[in-house]
Amino acid sequence: MVELRHSSSMGNRASSSPMTRDEDTTPLVVDNKADDDDRGRHSRDRDRPFWLHIQAQFPYFAEENRVSPYIGKISLVLLSLILLASLVSIPSIWTRLNTPYLCKKDGIVLQCPRVKESPSLWENPFSATTSWKPCAEHRDGVISDLPSENETTGYIFIHAEGGLNQQRIAICNAVAVAKIMNATLILPVLKQDQIWKDQTKFEDIFDVDHFIDYLKDDVPIVRDIPEWFTDKAELFSSIRRTVKNIPKYASAQFYIDNVLPRIKEKKIMALKPFVDRLGYDNVPTEINRLRCRVNYHALKFLPDIDQMADRLASRMRNRTGSSNPYMALHLRFEKGMVGLSFCDFVGTREEKIQMAEYRKKEWPRRYKNGSHLWQLALQKRKEGRCPLEPGEVAVILRAMGYPKETQIYVASGQVYGGHNRMAPLRNMFPNLVTKEELTTKEELDGFRKHVTSLAALDFLVCLKSDVFVMTHGGNFAKLIIGARRYMGHRQKSIKPDKGLMSKSFGDPYMGWANFVEDVIVTHQTRTGLPEETFPNYDLWENPLTPCMCKA
C-alpha cells in the first residue's frame, strides 16, 4: 500500500523502505525496524476512509489531493449523486423500454387494446347543441347596396366544373352572383368530368322543378338559353360573350363594377372559370344566407336517389338484427389523392418507385427532379396535410372508444394498395361495408350510368349516419360537416387532428394509455359542435353566423 504524504515529507521516503543496503558486508539485508513500521502502516491503512484507498491506488488523484484535500470528497459526493439518479431512473427507463408502441402488429393485422366507451360516443352532448337553430330561410327583403330589380334584364350562364360537390358549390355561387347583379340565371351545365368521362346533366341528379320554384322569390331561373339568342355557339367560345378575368373569392362590388356593365351591354354573358369566384366575408350577409338556402333547401336530389339512400341507411341500422347506430367513413386514399399529396407512405421499394414515376408523369412541374420531395413530405406530414392511411384511421377510432362491433359504411374510391392496405382497418373493424356490399347488382344498375348518382348515394348515406368521420380535406367532407351542423350540431362529425396524430404516431415512446388520452382530449372540440366564424372562414363547413340564429 502506498502511503500518502504531503510534499514536505517527500525527503524521508528512502528511509521508510522495508529493505536497506548494508554499508559493510551484506549486499541486501532485511531491516527489522522497517518490518515494524510496515505493520504499523498496514494497521493505519485499515482505518482510512475508502476514498483514500482509491486515491492510493491512483497516483493522479493522490497528486491532486496534495493540492486540495477536499477534491476527493467532492468527487465522491458527485459520484454518489449520479448513482442515486441512475437508480431512480431505472424503473422509468425500464417501463419505457417495455411499453408497447400503441398497437401490436401481427403481419398486416393490428391489435389495439379495447377502450371504455364514453356516454357521448354516438352523439354530441345535448347541452352543447341547443344554442343555435337553422334560419337560412329567413329573408331580409331588399338589400340596399345591390342593384334594384329594374336595373338589368341580362342573363348569366356558367359551367359547373369538377366532381359532384364542387359542382354543388358552383351552383350555389351562381345563384348568389345572379342575385348580386339582379340577373336571370340560366340553369347551370354540369361540365363533363375529365377523369370519369361523366356526362351527367343537372336534371339527371337534381330536382329542377323544386330548384326553380323554391328560388323564385330570390332569383329568376330559366331552363335554357332564350330562343331569341341565336348565336348559342358563341357562349364559352367567343371572348365577346365570356368574362374570364374574375379573381378567386371576388367581392360583390367586383361583380357590380366589372361584370354587370358587360351584361347590360351584351344581354347574355358566360362566366368562366367559375370555381371559387365569390368570397365569403366581402359580400352582404343576405347573400351568404342565400347560398345556404340554395345548398340546404333548393338543391334536392331526385326522388329515386333519395329513396335508395334511405334504404342503404336503414340496412346499416339493422345489420345486427336489431336497431344499431352506424358510422360513415369518408376514406380519401385513392391513387390520385396519394400522388397529389406528395406525402410519403409505408410501402415496398417497388411501390415507391412506381408512385414516383406516376407523380413525375402527372405533375412534372411539382416533381422537378424529385430531390426536394423527401423534405417536402416530412414538412407536410408534420403540418397535418397528408391523408390518413386506413391503418392509422383504425388506431384513432379504437382510441376514441369505438369497439370491434361498430358498423361502418365506407365512402371511398378504389383504395391505393388494395386489400393489403385496407387489411388493418378491416381486421380491427370487420363490420365494414360499401354500398356495393349492401345492395344487389340490379339495385345499383340504374345508378351506374351516371357516376355522379353513385357519389350522391354516398353523400346521403354519410349525411344520415350517426357519426361521420373524415380522413382528409375536400368538398365532400366539408359539405357533409356543414350540413350536419346546420341540422343542429347533435350529430357527431369527427375531423381528426392529423398534425397531432402524426406527432403521436412518430413518437417511439408513446404508450397506448397516453395516446388514448391525447386522442380523446384533442377531439372533444372536433366533433361538429358550434364554432364561431372568422375572417375568410369556409361557409360550407361552418354555416353558423350567416345561416343560423341563436335559439
Side-chain angles (χ1 to χ4, degrees), residues 81-97:
L81 290 174
I82 292 171
L83 290 172
L84 181 62
S86 300
L87 290 173
V88 171
S89 302
I90 284 174
S92 175
I93 295 172
W94 180 258
T95 301
R96 283 198 163 199
L97 290 175

Coordinates of all heavy atoms in Angstrom, one line a residue, residues 81-97:
L81 N -24.3 11.0 -6.1 CA -25.5 11.6 -6.7 C -25.8 11.0 -8.0 O -27.0 10.8 -8.3 CB -25.3 13.1 -6.8 CG -25.3 13.9 -5.5 CD1 -25.0 15.4 -5.8 CD2 -26.6 13.8 -4.8
I82 N -24.8 10.8 -8.8 CA -25.0 10.2 -10.2 C -25.6 8.8 -10.0 O -26.5 8.4 -10.7 CB -23.7 10.1 -11.0 CG1 -23.3 11.6 -11.3 CG2 -23.9 9.3 -12.2 CD1 -21.9 11.7 -12.0
L83 N -25.0 8.0 -9.1 CA -25.5 6.6 -8.8 C -26.9 6.7 -8.3 O -27.8 5.8 -8.7 CB -24.6 5.9 -7.8 CG -23.2 5.6 -8.3 CD1 -22.3 5.1 -7.1 CD2 -23.3 4.5 -9.4
L84 N -27.3 7.6 -7.5 CA -28.6 7.7 -6.9 C -29.6 8.1 -8.0 O -30.7 7.5 -8.1 CB -28.7 8.8 -5.8 CG -30.0 9.0 -5.2 CD1 -30.5 7.7 -4.5 CD2 -29.9 10.2 -4.1
A85 N -29.2 9.0 -8.9 CA -30.1 9.4 -10.0 C -30.3 8.2 -11.0 O -31.4 8.0 -11.5 CB -29.5 10.6 -10.8
S86 N -29.3 7.5 -11.2 CA -29.4 6.3 -12.1 C -30.4 5.3 -11.5 O -31.2 4.7 -12.2 CB -28.1 5.6 -12.3 OG -27.2 6.5 -12.9
L87 N -30.3 5.1 -10.2 CA -31.2 4.1 -9.5 C -32.6 4.6 -9.6 O -33.6 3.8 -9.8 CB -30.8 3.9 -8.0 CG -29.5 3.2 -7.8 CD1 -29.1 3.2 -6.3 CD2 -29.6 1.7 -8.3
V88 N -32.9 5.9 -9.5 CA -34.2 6.4 -9.5 C -34.8 6.3 -11.0 O -36.0 6.0 -11.2 CB -34.2 7.9 -9.1 CG1 -35.6 8.5 -9.4 CG2 -33.9 8.0 -7.6
S89 N -33.9 6.5 -12.0 CA -34.3 6.5 -13.4 C -34.6 5.1 -13.9 O -35.3 4.9 -14.9 CB -33.3 7.2 -14.2 OG -33.1 8.5 -13.8
I90 N -34.0 4.1 -13.3 CA -34.1 2.7 -13.9 C -35.5 2.3 -14.1 O -35.9 1.7 -15.1 CB -33.3 1.7 -13.0 CG1 -31.8 1.9 -13.3 CG2 -33.7 0.3 -13.3 CD1 -30.9 1.1 -12.4
P91 N -36.4 2.4 -13.1 CA -37.8 2.0 -13.3 C -38.5 2.7 -14.5 O -39.2 2.1 -15.2 CB -38.5 2.3 -12.0 CG -37.4 2.4 -10.9 CD -36.2 2.9 -11.7
S92 N -38.2 4.0 -14.6 CA -38.8 4.8 -15.7 C -38.3 4.3 -17.0 O -39.1 4.1 -18.0 CB -38.6 6.3 -15.5 OG -39.1 7.0 -16.6
I93 N -37.0 4.1 -17.1 CA -36.4 3.6 -18.4 C -36.9 2.2 -18.7 O -37.2 1.9 -19.8 CB -34.8 3.6 -18.3 CG1 -34.3 5.1 -18.1 CG2 -34.2 3.0 -19.5 CD1 -32.9 5.2 -17.8
W94 N -37.0 1.4 -17.7 CA -37.4 0.0 -17.9 C -38.9 0.0 -18.4 O -39.2 -0.7 -19.3 CB -37.3 -0.8 -16.6 CG -37.8 -2.2 -16.7 CD1 -39.0 -2.7 -16.3 CD2 -37.0 -3.3 -17.3 NE1 -39.0 -4.1 -16.7 CE2 -37.8 -4.4 -17.3 CE3 -35.8 -3.4 -17.9 CZ2 -37.4 -5.6 -17.8 CZ3 -35.4 -4.6 -18.4 CH2 -36.2 -5.7 -18.3
T95 N -39.7 0.9 -17.8 CA -41.1 1.0 -18.2 C -41.2 1.4 -19.7 O -42.0 0.9 -20.5 CB -41.9 2.0 -17.3 OG1 -41.8 1.5 -16.0 CG2 -43.3 2.1 -17.8
R96 N -40.4 2.4 -20.1 CA -40.5 2.9 -21.4 C -40.0 1.9 -22.4 O -40.6 1.7 -23.5 CB -39.6 4.2 -21.6 CG -40.2 5.4 -21.0 CD -39.5 6.7 -21.6 NE -40.4 7.8 -21.4 CZ -40.2 9.0 -22.1 NH1 -39.3 9.0 -23.0 NH2 -41.0 10.0 -21.8
L97 N -39.0 1.2 -22.1 CA -38.4 0.1 -23.0 C -39.4 -1.0 -23.2 O -39.4 -1.7 -24.2 CB -37.1 -0.4 -22.4 CG -35.9 0.6 -22.5 CD1 -34.7 0.0 -21.9 CD2 -35.6 0.9 -24.0

